[in-house]
């Protein structure tokens, strides 16, 4: 057992003891409400990364507008992504911020974000889509609720960029490469279509696997490539334009439903406040982080696919969309239809 895993188990035990103590307390409910509660929130990223920035804005609103406090746990402090989701569903954590890349095993329809070339590439277009999409803001809530989760917000973090041991411009360049993917069946389908061998790995193993050539590449937004130091062991960056990294904030539904209407609205307002902040924060972040990477390591290469090169990958993406519908059935097909309508409205300037 690793030190990080052991530390996480100790923290989980402490949190569980805190919950038990609160439930068995004889303190009057009125006094407890006046004093405020301590809520627990975990996310998947490091200090200063996008999810961490969002979490602290959420915390800021909660603590400035109530007597409650928010305790934030970053990546590794309570385990990997699967661990913090299990803890949220069990009620040990109140909130979890997790990508559909990991939630896809629970909610297959959430894999829609991994259909390549479905999303636009421009920052402002993507942000407008997340603000106005019927699919995101209305249809997803029911899907998350079926898993005991209250969906509070979905937001974009950045364009996905592939890093590899050699530059990539075509499916032929992917041939023979093990590309790390999240534990997401549709993402694996994407890299098969692109010509690579998808290799699911938890985040904690990625750097070492790149360093030892167990895998030859991976995908992430630029800020994550920079903060995780992935460019040090995988120095060839390719902007394929195939998608954006998306994440979602959820609450344990039993916890949320047990709150007063005032606290429920407080949480919704905090999620909206953090969303507004993060959508102002994201534009330009990728360029700034890429500049840091290029300053830190001079042999990093940057490849931006031409329209013709992208089209080769786009043609292969059609089979991924078909696979999504096979995985999710009629419900997934309806979601995809609405998703496309929402995107058409954005690109036509109608919202």
């Amino acid at each position: 057992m690793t030190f990080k895993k052991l530390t996480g188990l100790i923290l989980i035990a402490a949190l569980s003891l805190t919950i038990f103590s609160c439930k068995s307390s004889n303190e009057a409910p009125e006094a407890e409400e006046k004093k405020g509660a301590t809520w627990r929130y975990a996310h998947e990223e490091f200090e200063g990364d996008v999810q961490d920035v969002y979490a602290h804005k959420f915390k800021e609103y909660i603590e400035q507008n109530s007597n409650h406090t928010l305790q934030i746990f970053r990546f590794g402090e309570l385990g990997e992504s699967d661990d913090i989701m299990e803890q949220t569903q069990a009620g040990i954590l109140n909130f979890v911020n997790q990508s559909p890349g990991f939630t896809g095993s629970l909610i297959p329809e959430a894999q829609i974000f991994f259909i390549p070339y479905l999303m636009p590439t421009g920052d402002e277009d993507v942000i407008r889509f997340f603000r106005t999409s019927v699919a995101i803001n209305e249809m997803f809530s029911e899907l998350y609720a079926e898993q005991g989760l209250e969906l509070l917000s979905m937001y974009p973090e950045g364009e996905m960029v592939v890093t590899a041991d050699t530059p990539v411009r075509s499916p032929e360049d992917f041939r023979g490469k093990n590309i790390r993917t999240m534990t997401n069946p549709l993402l694996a389908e994407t890299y098969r279509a692109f010509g690579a061998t998808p290799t699911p790995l938890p985040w904690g193993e990625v750097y070492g696997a790149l360093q030892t050539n167990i895998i030859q590449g991976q995908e992430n937004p630029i800020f994550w490539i920079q903060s995780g130091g992935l460019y040090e062991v995988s120095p060839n960056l390719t902007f394929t334009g195939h998608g954006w990294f998306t994440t979602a904030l959820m609450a344990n539904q039993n916890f949320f439903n047990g709150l007063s209407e005032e606290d429920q609205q407080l949480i919704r307002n905090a999620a909206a406040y953090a969303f507004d902040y993060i959508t102002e924060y994201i534009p330009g972040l990728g360029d700034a982080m890429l500049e840091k990477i290029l300053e830190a390591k001079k042999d990093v290469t940057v490849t931006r696919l031409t329209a013709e090169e992208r089209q080769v990958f786009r043609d292969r993406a059609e089979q991924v969309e078909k696979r999504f519908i096979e995985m999710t059935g009629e419900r997934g097909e309806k979601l995809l239809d609405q998703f496309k309508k929402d995107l058409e409205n954005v690109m036509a300037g109608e919202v």
Side-chain angles (χ1 to χ4, degrees):
M1 182 181 294
T2 65
F3 176 76
K4 277 189 176 180
K5 190 74 172 179
L6 180 60
T7 303
L9 291 171
I10 293 169
L11 282 167
I12 293 165
L15 289 175
S16 301
L17 182 60
T18 301
I19 293 170
F20 178 79
S21 300
C22 290
K23 286 182 177 178
S24 54
S25 170
N26 293 321
E27 186 176 14
E30 295 81 7
E32 188 173 332
E33 184 176 346
K34 185 176 180 181
K35 184 176 72 172
T38 298
W39 294 335
R40 294 162 297 278
Y41 179 129
H43 66 72
E44 305 172 302
E45 295 176 358
F46 298 123
E47 181 177 2
D49 285 341
V50 173
Q51 287 184 23
D52 196 51
V53 172
Y54 181 98
H56 278 86
K57 283 296 169 181
F58 185 85
K59 172 184 172 74
E60 178 182 294
Y61 189 93
I62 294 289
E63 295 183 354
Q64 287 182 357
N65 292 278
S66 73
N67 292 323
H68 304 309
T69 58
L70 191 75
Q71 189 175 13
I72 296 171
F73 298 92
R74 299 186 179 103
F75 172 79
E77 293 177 352
L78 295 177
E80 294 268 359
S81 295
D82 291 346
D83 299 314
I84 59 175
M85 175 56 76
E86 289 173 5
Q87 292 158 34
T88 304
Q89 288 182 299
I92 296 169
L93 292 169
N94 306 109
F95 303 97
V96 63
N97 198 155
Q98 187 174 86
S99 160
F102 292 105
T103 316
S105 57
L106 281 176
I107 306 165
E109 295 84 357
Q111 296 177 99
I112 195 170
F113 294 102
F114 295 91
I115 298 175
Y117 297 102
L118 185 61
M119 297 284 289
T121 55
D123 290 356
E124 297 304 325
D125 291 334
V126 171
I127 289 167
R128 195 159 64 252
F129 170 71
F130 274 83
R131 283 193 179 279
T132 61
S133 169
V134 173
I136 286 176
N137 296 302
E138 296 180 23
M139 297 176 73
F140 267 113
S141 297
E142 181 181 343
L143 300 173
Y144 279 73
E146 291 173 0
Q147 301 299 327
L149 300 165
E150 183 74 22
L151 180 62
L152 298 169
S153 180
M154 280 188 157
Y155 61 93
E157 293 195 52
E159 181 183 351
M160 297 301 282
V161 178
V162 178
T163 73
D165 57 341
T166 61
V168 171
R169 300 203 80 104
S170 68
E172 288 71 28
D173 293 334
F174 267 129
R175 190 171 297 150
K177 292 188 190 298
N178 295 321
I179 302 295
R180 179 263 178 176
T181 63
M182 291 177 278
T183 51
N184 179 301
L186 201 71
L187 186 57
E189 191 72 26
T190 291
Y191 277 94
R192 278 192 207 96
F194 284 178
T197 302
T199 308
L201 280 178
W203 165 247
E205 298 177 20
V206 175
Y207 189 99
L210 287 166
Q211 193 172 35
T212 56
N213 203 39
I214 293 171
I215 56 174
Q216 289 76 51
Q218 61 83 50
E219 65 161 33
N220 261 301
I222 281 288
F223 78 85
W224 193 235
I225 292 168
Q226 190 275 330
S227 68
L230 298 180
Y231 64 92
E232 298 168 351
V233 289
S234 190
N236 299 288
L237 281 55
T238 301
F239 287 75
T240 57
H242 73 276
W244 271 65
F245 191 86
T246 297
T247 192
L249 173 64
M250 300 150 269
N252 174 285
Q253 197 169 57
N254 289 336
F255 154 75
F256 187 82
N257 289 342
L259 296 173
S260 65
E261 289 184 10
E262 181 182 4
D263 277 346
Q264 288 181 0
Q265 192 58 50
L266 170 76
I267 289 168
R268 291 191 186 100
N269 290 347
Y273 174 79
F275 178 90
D276 287 343
Y277 182 87
I278 213 68
T279 52
E280 292 290 330
Y281 178 81
I282 290 165
L285 178 63
D287 290 340
M289 294 301 102
L290 179 57
E291 190 174 325
K292 285 188 176 184
I293 289 171
L294 294 174
E295 288 175 357
K297 194 169 181 7
K298 301 303 181 186
D299 63 344
V300 166
T301 70
V302 178
T303 302
R304 297 181 187 273
L305 299 188
T306 65
E308 292 77 12
E309 288 169 333
R310 286 188 184 190
Q311 190 58 49
V312 177
F313 287 103
R314 282 179 183 275
D315 292 342
R316 291 178 172 232
E318 292 179 9
Q319 68 191 68
V320 184
E321 184 172 313
K322 290 177 183 175
R323 183 71 182 115
F324 172 77
I325 294 170
E326 290 173 5
M327 287 179 178
T328 59
E330 183 180 352
R331 193 157 68 166
E333 191 167 10
K334 285 181 179 178
L335 182 68
L336 180 58
D337 288 343
Q338 185 62 55
F339 210 89
K340 288 181 176 180
K341 287 177 186 176
D342 296 339
L343 285 166
E344 286 172 6
N345 290 337
V346 167
M347 301 313 290
E350 295 178 8
V351 291

